[in-house]
Amino acid sequence: MRKTSLALAVAASTLGLSQVAFADLVGDTKVSLEARNFYFNRDFRQGNSDTPAPSQSKQDEWAQGFILRMNSGFTEGTVGFGADAIGMFGFKLDSGDGTAGSGLLVPDRSGGSQDNYSDLAVAAKVKVSNSTLRVGQMQFKNAAIASSDGRLLPQVFEAGHLVSQEIDGLMLEAAHVREVNHRNSGDYEDIAIASGGRRGITTSGGATADSFDFVGGTYKLTKELTAGYYYSNLDELYKQHSFSAVHVLPLGDKQSLKTDVRFARSTDDGNRSNVDNKAFGAMVTYSLDGHAFGLGYQKMSGDTGFAYINGTDPFLVNYVQISDFANKDEKSYQARYDFNFASIGIPGLTFMTRYLTGDNVDRGRGVSEGREWERNTELMYVFQEGALKNLGVRWRNATVRSNFANDIDENRLIVSYTLPLM
């Protein structure tokens, strides 16, 4: 009901604009349609893990999704008005026999998946100078909160969001977030704190909150160095200060050294949780022509693991395809290699592989330390010309082994095509 009312209000205000203002509004509008075909297979293999066996041996689903994105321009004048929208529709191609739960589709009451689901996210926006206020449903991507788009349809939030870029090189933003619509859901719900694994986070009175607020931004100190800071608060559950710095050092022809450093301090907010964590991470990447070699380190300290909003992508250098390596007291290391085949005359083809290992996880008194490792491989090709231009084919493979969580072998095959409409 709220989404429908907002859409009608935006439409009514648009109809009342002058012809000149309407022309500016439409002229700068961008519309695209993405067709996303997604096959997901996850096999659970217990190996030497001493955790109870999972209730199912595998998750195996295939689905088709469509994502229509519209970002309007602004009306003419000192104060400009506009609207953004994301229309989403997904349907099941194959699922059943106890293999549901991949996150591609909405679960049903029988333990399977619904045949289809849809949603419409609409946000009205107002612009004054170089500052924009949006109110409605939207996605986020910053150090405080990052919407997940790792399945069929993206995760969106209901919020009010202000972005200001009045000073060259400085981007400031603030938001009040009320509810979330997860990537495998058609309904909005309260925001929850992430738990699970050996994170060590406990809550009382429920793990959900009435709201989430953040304020912060990034500043380009020099051409090579960008710094960032965000303060965020999940009401009565946690407070967090996040710091970041990214430096790219040119080393010569087609060579560079990139350093990405992140630190976050999380504490409880009241007496509903025990959150207490310091998270440090650093990633150094040397690029040479089409090659990139990266080394990463991440360390958790404090009474709990890292705190973030459930279902989102945490701002961690060692957050990868399946694991986040953010358990209590965990130390983890990453080695990564990327290759862009454009450097040898095959544009559109890219390859990535990485290996991460973590240890020192606090599993409780009298229990040996937790250890885990994950290996990822990704191959992607985007057609550059011809009838198939913009068609992307992506294969993602992951292997996880752990002595405190499920062992996993996983494959994802994603075929996507984005068609610009305006």
Side-chain angles (χ1 to χ4, degrees), residues 290-294 335-340 351-355:
H291 305 272
F293 307 88
R336 171 171 174 158
Y337 171 72
D338 293 76
F339 183 65
N340 189 335
F351 170 79
M352 183 278 296
T353 187
R354 60 190 168 203
Y355 176 81

Side-chain angles (χ1 to χ4, degrees), residues 119-178:
D119 195 26
L120 175 64
V122 180
K125 59 185 181 182
V126 180
K127 184 176 183 180
V128 179
S129 184
N130 289 318
S131 297
T132 303
L133 172 67
R134 295 186 298 163
V135 178
Q137 295 86 34
M138 63 199 74
Q139 294 179 267
F140 291 104
K141 188 172 181 61
N142 56 49
I145 177 175
S147 302
S148 176
D149 195 14
R151 291 294 191 274
L152 191 68
L153 302 180
Q155 178 190 50
V156 294
F157 292 86
E158 184 178 88
H161 181 215
L162 176 64
V163 178
S164 177
Q165 295 178 293
E166 301 294 339
I167 301 174
D168 187 38
L170 176 65
M171 187 281 293
L172 298 174
E173 60 178 326
H176 177 69
V177 187
R178 292 299 303 273

Side-chain angles (χ1 to χ4, degrees), residues 42-45 54-59 97-99 407 409:
R42 176 179 287 182
D43 284 330
F44 296 99
R45 305 176 182 275
S55 58
Q56 60 183 148
S57 61
K58 69 175 181 177
Q59 295 169 344
D97 300 323
T99 63
D407 291 349
D409 290 343

Side-chain angles (χ1 to χ4, degrees), residues 150-339:
R151 291 294 191 274
L152 191 68
L153 302 180
Q155 178 190 50
V156 294
F157 292 86
E158 184 178 88
H161 181 215
L162 176 64
V163 178
S164 177
Q165 295 178 293
E166 301 294 339
I167 301 174
D168 187 38
L170 176 65
M171 187 281 293
L172 298 174
E173 60 178 326
H176 177 69
V177 187
R178 292 299 303 273
E179 291 184 317
V180 57
N181 188 343
H182 289 295
R183 58 195 186 187
N184 62 336
S185 172
D187 299 314
Y188 283 82
E189 58 189 70
D190 290 339
I191 302 168
I193 189 172
S195 59
R198 293 300 309 171
R199 207 170 304 280
I201 296 175
T202 60
T203 61
S204 61
T208 61
D210 291 334
S211 64
F212 174 78
D213 298 283
F214 73 80
V215 61
T218 61
Y219 182 57
K220 198 170 185 64
L221 297 166
T222 66
K223 182 180 178 180
E224 295 82 17
L225 177 62
T226 301
Y229 167 75
Y230 281 83
Y231 170 78
S232 57
N233 172 217
L234 183 58
D235 188 37
E236 296 185 346
L237 289 174
Y238 75 78
K239 297 178 292 187
Q240 188 172 89
H241 299 270
S242 300
F243 304 85
S244 64
V246 177
H247 184 263
V248 180
L249 176 65
L251 296 176
D253 185 36
K254 298 181 181 180
Q255 296 185 64
S256 66
L257 184 67
K258 178 181 178 180
T259 303
D260 184 349
V261 180
R262 307 176 187 182
F263 175 78
R265 175 66 173 125
S266 309
T267 57
D268 65 90
D269 180 36
N271 55 9
R272 286 187 54 205
S273 79
N274 66 330
V275 172
D276 175 41
N277 172 262
K278 295 178 182 177
F280 172 79
M283 187 83 182
V284 178
T285 304
Y286 170 66
S287 298
L288 173 63
D289 201 0
H291 305 272
F293 307 88
L295 293 175
Y297 172 73
Q298 182 173 290
K299 184 180 187 301
M300 301 291 134
S301 58
D303 294 335
T304 69
F306 186 66
Y308 61 96
I309 293 176
N310 186 46
T312 62
D313 296 341
F315 190 65
L316 300 168
V317 296
N318 281 355
Y319 168 67
V320 288
Q321 183 166 325
I322 297 177
S323 306
D324 57 22
F325 295 86
N327 298 288
K328 182 180 178 183
D329 291 338
E330 185 166 15
K331 293 186 294 184
S332 56
Y333 308 84
Q334 176 182 172
R336 171 171 174 158
Y337 171 72
D338 293 76
F339 183 65

